[in-house]
Structure formats: C-alpha cells, structure tokens
Amino acid sequence: PAGLWAYAPLRNVKLANGPSNPTPIDTLIENALPSGLKVAPPATRQALIRRATFDLTGLPPTPEQVAHFVDDQRTDKLAFAAVIERLLESPHYGERWTAMWMDLARYSDSKGYEKDRHRDMWPYRDWLINAFNADMPFDEFTRKQLAGDLKPDYRWHDLVASMFHRN
C-alpha cells in the first residue's frame, strides 16, 4: 500500500502555541476546523466540574464540591487535577464504568427472551465494580473474565470473574 499514511516515515512536527491555542492538541483541533468555525471559549470552573463529574461518575457534583472547586486558589490545571483524582477515587467511578462494560457485554440479571427467569449475577457486577475501582490492568481484567476458573491457584473472585461468560 504505497502512499498510505500509516507507512510513511515519522516526522517531527513543531506546533506553535499561542493565546487561541495554548497546547499542541488545541493547535491540531483549531487547524482541523472548517473555515469560519471558531473554537469555543474555555469552560468556566462550574461547567468544568459538572462535565467531569457526570462523565466519570454519572452523577452531578454536590453544591459543596462546586463551591470548593470554584473557590480553589490554585491554578486551573492544579485545581482540576485534584478534582479528577477525587473522582477517580470515588466508588461511583467503578459503578459508572461497570455499567458501560455490562452494556457492551450484554449483561442481564435475567435469562432473556421467552425464558425471562431471574439469575443471580450480582457477584459478577460487584467484581466488575471492584476491578474498575482498583484500576486492574486490562490484560488481567480480560484473562480473569475469560479463564479465571482455569487458573491452577484460582480463588473465589477468579470464579466470579468468569461467571458471566460461563452463563
């Protein structure tokens, strides 16, 4: 495939930063915009914490969390980094991303179709929440779900990890 961009030699590209593009990513985005379309102004701290909290936990921030972030005297970068760290440590982070994972895996608490009988899959759901909150490496996360019950030194949580796929 001659001429395909993926096979082209790497080039070192220098991007200029400026008032309208403070980072190289902003420069790339601004350069990719159709002519006449302008970059939106930076989000306010209220909007920023609301977006981040909804995205990482699926919940709105409390009024106290918003006030704390808005009143934080540190730079935007440092204050926002603290917000992100707090959100990643929240148990709601694992719940949010578990819900997305279960949707992708077509998780259900019932057998579905005409055999809509209940099945106890909540241990698998709880295992997923704990795996996301513990920041389990993806390769381990995948291996435990596919073959956790086949490990020679398996434990209860390894059986639970493979439970959904066994059903």
Side-chain angles (χ1 to χ4, degrees), residues 91-110:
H92 301 301
Y93 171 79
E95 293 165 0
R96 166 81 166 158
W97 292 99
T98 292
M100 291 185 184
W101 183 263
M102 290 188 315
D103 284 348
L104 290 171
R106 297 184 174 198
Y107 172 91
S108 174
D109 283 328
S110 69

Side-chain angles (χ1 to χ4, degrees), residues 107-110 117-124 163 167:
Y107 172 91
S108 174
D109 283 328
S110 69
R117 292 175 293 161
H118 179 76
R119 60 182 181 177
D120 287 321
M121 293 301 292
W122 62 266
Y124 173 71
M163 168 186 215
N167 278 295

Side-chain angles (χ1 to χ4, degrees), residues 13-109:
V13 178
K14 298 285 185 198
L15 298 172
N17 298 346
S20 67
N21 48 5
T23 69
I25 295 294
D26 294 327
T27 301
L28 290 173
I29 291 171
E30 193 168 355
N31 291 343
L33 290 175
S35 68
L37 193 59
K38 300 222 184 279
V39 176
T44 64
R45 282 195 174 194
Q46 292 93 337
L48 198 55
I49 190 171
R50 187 169 173 81
R51 290 175 189 171
T53 306
F54 269 118
D55 190 39
L56 292 177
T57 68
L59 301 168
T62 65
E64 295 79 21
Q65 290 168 338
V66 173
H68 183 266
F69 180 55
V70 169
D71 296 337
D72 194 330
Q73 296 302 310
R74 294 178 287 181
T75 64
D76 287 348
K77 187 175 182 177
L78 289 175
F80 190 60
V83 167
I84 297 300
E85 287 300 319
R86 179 185 54 77
L87 293 171
L88 292 175
E89 291 172 4
S90 166
H92 301 301
Y93 171 79
E95 293 165 0
R96 166 81 166 158
W97 292 99
T98 292
M100 291 185 184
W101 183 263
M102 290 188 315
D103 284 348
L104 290 171
R106 297 184 174 198
Y107 172 91
S108 174
D109 283 328

